[in-house]
């Protein structure tokens, strides 16, 4: 059977599956071990009460013909598109309801969106990066222009070389770095000059705690001409299992075939039946006043976990912005070897930095997505570990 060119060009393992498999093998060989997983950024749950109540109500509606929902609008129900647009407007960002498209989460949205782009583009990516960007580029046959993060962890400037596409994720997964307003302006100006597309991954925007820091690319002048923003409720409201996120495609973002939003909308009509209705009702509740408050409490806990883990690591080894659920730290040398040593001595799973690109070698990542108790237990073990 023939395959699409580049379908076999992905690296052999997806790093988070590799970590999980190593953990499984270790647990099978050491049934007594109390493993603590700080590898994949998956939330420990539970969902907050406003989301649960909304999910339950939406399910109950399905019990009567009057409330039953069949195929939904591919672009998302108006109630959720409106709630998300209002969330932006509350932050002073002029996003309109019709510019919001509901998705099955950030990863799916990026993979779907990139289907409309031609093969062989030049893609600028600040490194280390979320591995999905690299894999998508491999699939598209895109030429990656890797741009190393600055020595202090800050974002690199746009490349001198021409680029068609760039991925910016702030707060950055894995490093936690924040894109400064000045740097965002440079990227937007470069993208507009070159007719390039910025994919701004805002999956972690709710973690930004630094006053005045940028949370949306649309806080940057000119970004509506060149940037699509990817939002997700996975890390904001515990939707890693439910799956729901959004894309913002501004009306004035033009392609050779008209506004990208119109092209995208047309594709959705053929290829999607949207996100399940109950999930969209749950998502709507996450944007309500009660939902936002409950989510913020959970997020604060993950940030505290991350700070606690940081306090257990050797001084100077940690890059920490205080605005990320991830902790990026220097492990010295081979990050997979460090992963194994940590697993054997502490029964803790981390993510080896090499999984985020060659530029991540010498570092590892901890996820703060765990319970307070797990973070405390991990911190005790880490304090006794010989780094
Ligand atoms: C992570 O960085 O841990 C990711 O969000 C997990 C994933 O996408 O598989």
């Amino acid at each position: 059977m023939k395959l699409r060119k580049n379908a076999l060009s992905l690296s052999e393992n997806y790093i988070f599956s590799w970590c999980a498999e190593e953990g499984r093998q270790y647990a099978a060989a050491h049934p007594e071990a109390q493993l603590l997983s700080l590898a994949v950024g998956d939330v420990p749950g539970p969902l907050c009460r406003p989301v649960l109540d909304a999910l339950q109500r939406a399910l109950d509606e399905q019990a009567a013909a009057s409330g039953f929902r069949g195929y939904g609008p591919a672009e998302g129900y108006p109630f959720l598109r409106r709630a998300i647009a209002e969330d932006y407007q509350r932050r002073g960002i002029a996003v309109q309801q019709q510019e919001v498209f509901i998705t099955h989460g950030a990863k799916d949205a990026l993979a779907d969106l990139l289907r409309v782009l031609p093969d062989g583009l030049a893609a600028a990516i600040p490194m280390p990066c979320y591995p999905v960007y690299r894999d998508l580029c491999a699939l598209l046959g895109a030429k990656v222009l890797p741009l190393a993060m600055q020595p202090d962890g800050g974002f690199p400037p746009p490349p001198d070389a021409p680029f068609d596409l760039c991925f910016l994720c702030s707060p950055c997964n894995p490093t936690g770095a924040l894109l400064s307003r000045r740097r965002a302006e440079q990227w937007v100006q470069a993208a507009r000059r070159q007719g390039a597309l910025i994919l701004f991954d805002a999956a972690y925007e709710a973690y930004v705690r630094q006053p005045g820091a940028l949370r949306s690319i649309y806080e940057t002048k000119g970004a509506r001409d060149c940037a699509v923003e990817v939002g997700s409720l996975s890390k904001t409201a515990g939707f890693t299992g439910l799956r729901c996120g959004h894309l913002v495609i501004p009306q004035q973002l033009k392609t050779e075939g008209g506004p990208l939003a119109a092209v995208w909308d047309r594709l959705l009509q053929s290829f999607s039946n949207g996100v399940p209705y109950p999930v969209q009702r749950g998502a709507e509740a996450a944007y309500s006043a009660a939902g936002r408050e409950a989510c913020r409490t959970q997020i604060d806990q993950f940030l505290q976990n991350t700070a606690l883990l940081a306090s257990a690591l050797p001084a100077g080894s940690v890059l920490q912005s205080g605005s990320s659920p991830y902790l990026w730290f220097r492990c010295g040398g081979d990050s997979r070897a460090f992963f194994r040593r940590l697993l054997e001595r502490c029964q803790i799973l981390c993510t080896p930095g090499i999984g985020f690109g060659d530029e991540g070698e010498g570092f590892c990542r901890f996820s703060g997505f765990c319970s307070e108790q797990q973070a405390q237990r991990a911190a005790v073990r880490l304090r006794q570990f010989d780094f």
Side-chain angles (χ1 to χ4, degrees):
M1 189 181 92
K2 288 212 184 299
L3 291 176
R4 179 188 156 80
K5 190 167 158 249
N6 302 324
L8 299 175
S9 58
L10 271 56
S11 56
E12 198 184 335
N13 282 307
Y14 183 57
I15 188 66
F16 303 114
S17 312
W18 181 86
C19 295
E21 182 52 30
E22 292 282 316
R24 269 193 293 277
Q25 285 180 18
Y26 186 87
H30 305 85
E32 74 299 339
Q34 308 236 311
L35 269 188
L36 289 172
S37 180
L38 305 177
V40 63
D42 195 3
V43 293
L47 291 165
C48 66
R49 184 43 60 193
V51 168
L52 280 170
D53 288 345
L55 282 168
Q56 193 61 59
R57 274 194 306 274
L59 282 176
D60 289 344
E61 284 176 45
Q62 308 309 303
S66 56
F68 173 77
R69 304 284 177 138
Y71 290 131
E75 65 280 10
Y77 281 98
F79 61 79
L80 182 54
R81 300 177 82 193
R82 186 166 51 246
I84 294 172
E86 284 170 2
D87 190 59
Y88 277 102
Q89 289 156 14
R90 259 194 303 276
R91 294 190 259 144
I93 301 165
V95 167
Q96 304 308 316
Q97 178 177 332
Q98 66 275 20
E99 298 176 318
V100 176
F101 295 85
I102 307 305
T103 71
H104 289 91
K107 205 190 232 178
D108 309 59
L110 282 169
D112 286 347
L113 185 67
L114 291 194
R115 280 188 305 185
V116 305
L117 301 181
D119 283 350
L121 298 178
I125 315 184
M127 293 288 202
C129 76
Y130 182 41
V132 171
Y133 308 156
R134 249 182 14 229
D135 287 350
L136 283 170
C137 288
L139 200 61
L140 274 182
K143 177 173 172 289
V144 173
L145 303 173
L147 304 167
M149 287 289 203
Q150 308 282 280
D152 66 353
F155 277 78
D160 293 330
F163 64 100
D164 305 296
L165 180 67
C166 77
F167 293 85
L168 297 175
C169 174
S170 177
C172 172
N173 178 12
T175 67
L178 289 168
L179 181 66
S180 70
R181 289 182 184 276
R182 193 177 67 85
R183 201 53 106 211
E185 273 166 30
Q186 291 171 346
W187 276 95
V188 166
Q189 282 164 12
R192 290 181 70 192
R193 251 192 331 265
Q194 308 201 22
L197 175 66
I198 294 178
L199 289 171
F200 186 79
D201 186 344
Y204 300 95
E205 61 79 17
Y207 288 79
V208 174
R209 289 293 181 271
Q210 277 190 16
L214 178 131
R215 286 174 58 190
S216 163
I217 195 66
Y218 304 121
E219 292 169 48
T220 313
K221 190 161 168 269
R224 287 175 57 84
D225 294 334
C226 62
V228 167
E229 183 155 303
V230 184
S232 167
L233 285 179
S234 288
K235 314 296 165 77
T236 306
F239 275 53
T240 51
L242 282 175
R243 313 300 305 150
C244 193
H246 68 266
L247 287 177
V248 175
I249 309 183
Q251 293 295 331
Q252 59 259 63
L253 211 170
K254 298 282 191 310
T255 71
E256 58 182 1
L260 179 62
V263 176
W264 181 241
D265 192 69
R266 172 63 193 90
L267 286 166
L268 284 178
Q269 306 313 315
S270 287
F271 301 124
S272 173
N273 283 315
V275 174
Y277 171 74
V279 173
Q280 293 197 50
R281 279 296 185 198
E284 180 192 23
Y287 289 99
S288 67
R292 292 202 308 276
E293 194 184 319
C295 291
R296 190 172 167 102
T297 305
Q298 287 180 340
I299 289 169
D300 283 346
Q301 183 58 56
F302 298 140
L303 286 170
Q304 276 169 33
N305 292 348
T306 312
L308 177 63
L309 294 169
S311 72
L313 293 180
S317 65
V318 178
L319 191 77
Q320 210 201 358
S321 65
S323 287
S324 167
Y326 297 123
L327 199 57
W328 185 245
F329 63 96
R330 210 174 286 284
C331 65
D334 180 336
S335 57
R336 282 188 205 253
F338 180 88
F339 169 95
R340 293 209 168 90
R341 205 155 61 84
L342 190 70
L343 180 55
E344 263 151 35
R345 308 253 173 93
C346 294
Q347 286 78 51
I348 291 177
L349 289 164
C350 65
T351 310
I354 186 77
F356 301 95
D358 292 346
E359 297 76 0
E361 188 55 308
F363 289 82
C364 280
R365 190 195 78 173
F366 282 139
S367 146
F369 292 111
C370 57
S371 68
E372 188 178 358
Q373 292 73 11
Q374 284 168 328
Q376 281 164 352
R377 261 188 273 149
V380 169
R381 293 185 200 176
L382 288 172
R383 288 206 171 93
Q384 289 158 7
F385 180 61
D386 175 15
F387 281 86

